[in-house]
Amino acid sequence: MTPAATTLAAAATGHGFLSPTGVEIAFLLVGLATLGAAVVTVTTKQLVHAALWLVVALGGIAVEYLLLTAEFIAWVQVLIYLGSVVVLLLFGLMLTKAPIGRSPDADSNNRWVALGVALVAAAALVWVVVDAFRTTWIDLDGPVQGSTKVTGEILFQHWVLPFEALSVLLLAALIGAIVLSRRDAAAGSEDTTKGQQR
């Protein structure tokens, strides 16, 4: 019997590809809930509700990282995306005085075009990831892939520029929200002054 056949037989008898464990079932259920939250995020007509559903979707991704034993990435997801990006989004919505209720003008009636673009982007992403990692194998005897040491080395050796670019982008979004809110406040005070003069 060849080593490959021995490996396949062991996988079939143990907790292998065809017999899901509790972690795999939890991973699938959390993934479905996260996908549902993401769909609601882009289909709701209430901006604040969209931001809150985004919290659920990003929290689900953090849980997926925990199930993959990548604790450091999970906490980075919580701290950066849930703690910074969503707070910045809500802060921008409040500063720009976005409507709290339903916003019919938030729908551009291009849902089919958006769905087509989303499907093409998802197919391209899956193809790129599968093609890039087709021959990649995880060394189980080496350091844990989700450990802080390995992630920190990869992050600060190869991903420093995108990480800093994201920081600048978030800062620009915050400054833009403040400028828009001050412009609206200045226009409102001018209208009040003109009304009082009349």
Side-chain angles (χ1 to χ4, degrees):
M1 201 173 204
T2 64
T6 306
T7 305
L8 285 174
T13 57
H15 291 293
F17 179 72
L18 297 177
S19 60
T21 63
V23 173
E24 291 167 347
I25 293 171
F27 187 87
L28 180 64
L29 293 177
V30 172
L32 290 174
T34 304
L35 179 64
V39 169
V40 174
T41 299
V42 297
T43 55
T44 184
K45 292 187 179 181
Q46 298 192 15
L47 294 177
V48 177
H49 287 185
L52 295 176
W53 278 109
L54 182 62
V55 170
V56 175
L58 294 175
I61 293 172
V63 172
E64 297 282 52
Y65 283 132
L66 280 176
L67 290 172
L68 291 172
T69 66
E71 293 87 0
F72 178 71
I73 302 294
W75 292 120
V76 167
Q77 171 84 11
V78 170
L79 290 174
I80 292 180
Y81 286 99
L82 290 176
S84 300
V85 174
V86 174
V87 169
L88 179 65
L89 243 165
L90 292 172
F91 189 60
L93 287 175
M94 288 186 285
L95 281 177
T96 54
K97 295 178 180 160
I100 300 297
R102 292 176 65 83
S103 304
D105 57 339
D107 191 1
S108 65
N109 295 323
N110 291 326
R111 291 186 179 185
W112 293 110
V113 175
L115 180 62
V117 170
L119 290 175
V120 168
L125 182 62
V126 167
W127 179 74
V128 166
V129 169
V130 168
D131 187 57
F133 295 102
R134 181 177 296 150
T135 58
T136 302
W137 299 95
I138 296 174
D139 182 15
L140 297 178
D141 296 327
V144 180
Q145 295 298 312
S147 68
T148 308
K149 181 184 178 193
V150 174
T151 306
E153 287 175 356
I154 293 172
L155 180 64
F156 291 110
Q157 284 179 357
H158 306 291
W159 297 98
V160 173
L161 189 60
F163 193 73
E164 294 301 324
L166 178 63
S167 304
V168 173
L169 183 65
L170 291 175
L171 180 62
L174 181 61
I175 292 171
I178 293 171
V179 168
L180 286 175
S181 68
R182 291 197 177 262
R183 184 181 300 164
D184 290 343
S189 63
E190 287 177 7
D191 292 341
T192 306
T193 307
K194 287 179 182 177
Q196 289 174 351
Q197 289 175 351
R198 290 177 186 171

